Amino acid sequence: MAPTATSETSAPHLTEHSITVAAPASAVYALVADVSAWPQVFGPTVHVEVLQDAPAEGGEQTLRIWAVANERVRTWTSRRILDPAARTITFRQLVPAAPVAAMGGEWRVEELEAGRTRVVLLHDYRAVDDDPAAEEQIERAVDRNSRAELAALKNAAELGDARDELHFTFSDSETVVGAAGDVYAFLDRADLWPERLPHVARLDLTEEEPGIQHMDMDTRSPDGSLHNTTSVRVCFEDRHMIVYKQLRVPVAMSGHTGRWVIESLGDGTVRATSWHTVTLDPEGVRSALGPEATLAEARALVRKALGTNSSTTLHHAKQFAEEARVGS
């Protein structure tokens, strides 16, 4: 539905997007309600933090969301009201990101016949100062992200129980006799990784604003081949944590997110941990590994490849921090 014309009272622009999903309404609603899964399910979503959670029977929830809109990472705080009985979730941005002056909407999950579901995603928005150029920019972002989110929701929901087999999380850790700030500094300065890490052949890093990084990286496999990935990172220096999402993933995956977490152990040491969450793409697995390849084989290969690179990075971060401690 096209946006309405702006009146003297600055009426919000309204949009509606919908899709039909071959999955039960309860399963579809659960995916929309579970924000912890959003970075894996929804392409534009980079990271979500729950500031106030809703009870199981529904109610109010407060979130902070980082997402890509018009090729930039935006962050905002939203309030959601979940109604599991009606299968609706209304949302309103409490702290919008410019050029958005106000943004809200609703998810409606409607049960159809034969186990199918219709999902309707509504938005209403206003631009700062009702600027026409900003309104057009917001409209493009809302349209692109709504279509992408609904398509991704359909894909995830229609996997059914198979999604559990495709989705997995793992971690690797190093204990460091050094300062958390030094470990964080090594991980934050990814622009220096080609000089510091043997598996990083090239890395272009841009930081459009403090703490928001875009990375375009070529990594070298043991056989000498190069693999390109692009990622967005959100860096929390005060918490010694970096979260990231790969925007371009290897062919065997449909999603890959991760985080670096540095925790003080209270005895002059810290634990640095690399977490990965991966969703495999069945067709991509067959394309990359052959038609007879199993998901178990793919999980093992992905675990080894990602874990080896993460462990190498952690080992060099450990050396950097421990040398800094000796030299201080």
Side-chain angles (χ1 to χ4, degrees):
M1 182 166 63
T4 62
T6 303
S7 71
E8 293 180 0
T9 57
S10 300
H13 292 249
L14 307 174
T15 67
E16 177 178 323
H17 297 80
S18 64
I19 199 166
T20 299
V21 182
S26 58
V28 176
Y29 182 84
L31 284 171
V32 180
D34 181 13
V35 295
S36 67
W38 279 18
Q40 287 295 123
V41 174
F42 297 134
T45 306
V46 176
H47 182 55
V48 180
E49 294 190 347
V50 178
L51 307 181
Q52 174 192 339
D53 209 354
E57 64 273 15
E60 188 173 298
Q61 181 185 60
T62 306
L63 311 172
R64 188 173 181 193
I65 301 170
W66 287 260
V68 178
N70 289 331
E71 300 182 353
R72 289 181 61 88
V73 176
R74 309 286 184 181
T75 183
W76 61 87
T77 302
S78 286
R79 179 185 291 120
R80 303 202 308 170
I81 299 177
L82 289 79
D83 186 342
R87 297 197 184 100
T88 62
I89 299 174
T90 59
F91 56 90
R92 179 68 50 189
Q93 292 187 8
L94 302 179
V95 184
V100 175
M103 174 79 75
E106 184 176 32
W107 291 88
R108 298 176 183 171
V109 179
E110 303 169 352
E111 187 172 8
L112 303 176
E113 296 179 349
R116 297 180 305 128
T117 300
R118 181 172 184 258
V119 183
V120 179
L121 178 54
L122 305 172
H123 283 92
D124 62 81
Y125 62 86
R126 287 183 51 251
V128 173
D129 298 326
D130 297 319
D131 177 43
E135 289 170 353
E136 183 179 350
Q137 179 183 350
I138 297 168
E139 180 185 3
R140 287 199 308 270
V142 168
D143 183 64
R144 181 184 299 114
N145 283 10
S146 296
R147 293 177 187 277
E149 287 175 354
L150 288 172
L153 177 64
K154 175 182 172 71
N155 290 338
E158 290 182 351
L159 285 172
D161 294 339
R163 187 169 180 271
D164 293 337
E165 192 177 4
L166 298 170
H167 187 78
F168 61 104
T169 296
F170 61 90
S171 65
D172 298 285
S173 297
E174 281 275 6
T175 299
V176 182
V177 183
D182 289 329
V183 178
Y184 176 88
F186 184 95
L187 299 173
D188 177 60
R189 289 300 306 272
D191 56 312
L192 299 178
W193 284 3
E195 307 166 21
R196 293 174 164 178
L197 298 175
H199 64 280
V200 179
R202 181 194 62 84
L203 193 150
D204 291 334
L205 184 145
T206 57
E207 194 158 357
E208 59 189 31
E209 59 183 87
I212 305 292
Q213 299 178 346
H214 289 257
M215 289 172 43
D216 187 321
M217 178 170 63
D218 291 336
T219 54
R220 186 179 294 107
S221 296
D223 63 5
S225 60
L226 294 179
H227 299 274
N228 177 260
T229 56
T230 60
S231 304
V232 172
R233 307 205 308 174
V234 183
C235 305
F236 302 94
E237 184 175 6
D238 59 331
R239 293 154 60 181
H240 297 136
M241 181 176 75
I242 298 172
V243 300
Y244 62 88
K245 178 170 185 170
Q246 282 195 352
L247 305 180
R248 182 186 301 144
V249 295
V251 67
M253 305 179 198
S254 64
H256 175 210
T257 61
R259 65 188 186 274
W260 303 94
V261 180
I262 307 156
E263 306 165 284
S264 174
L265 300 180
D267 57 357
T269 65
V270 298
R271 180 186 297 115
T273 304
S274 167
W275 288 91
H276 295 273
T277 297
V278 174
T279 303
L280 296 175
D281 174 16
E283 292 186 9
V285 167
R286 290 189 288 269
S287 173
L289 304 180
E292 304 302 320
T294 66
L295 293 179
E297 291 170 335
R299 281 197 303 272
L301 288 171
V302 169
R303 172 67 177 92
K304 181 178 180 181
L306 294 179
T308 297
N309 287 349
S310 292
S311 295
T312 300
T313 302
L314 289 171
H315 177 70
H316 284 266
K318 171 184 171 77
Q319 286 186 323
F320 177 85
E322 292 182 348
E323 289 172 3
R325 180 176 182 270
V326 171
S328 61

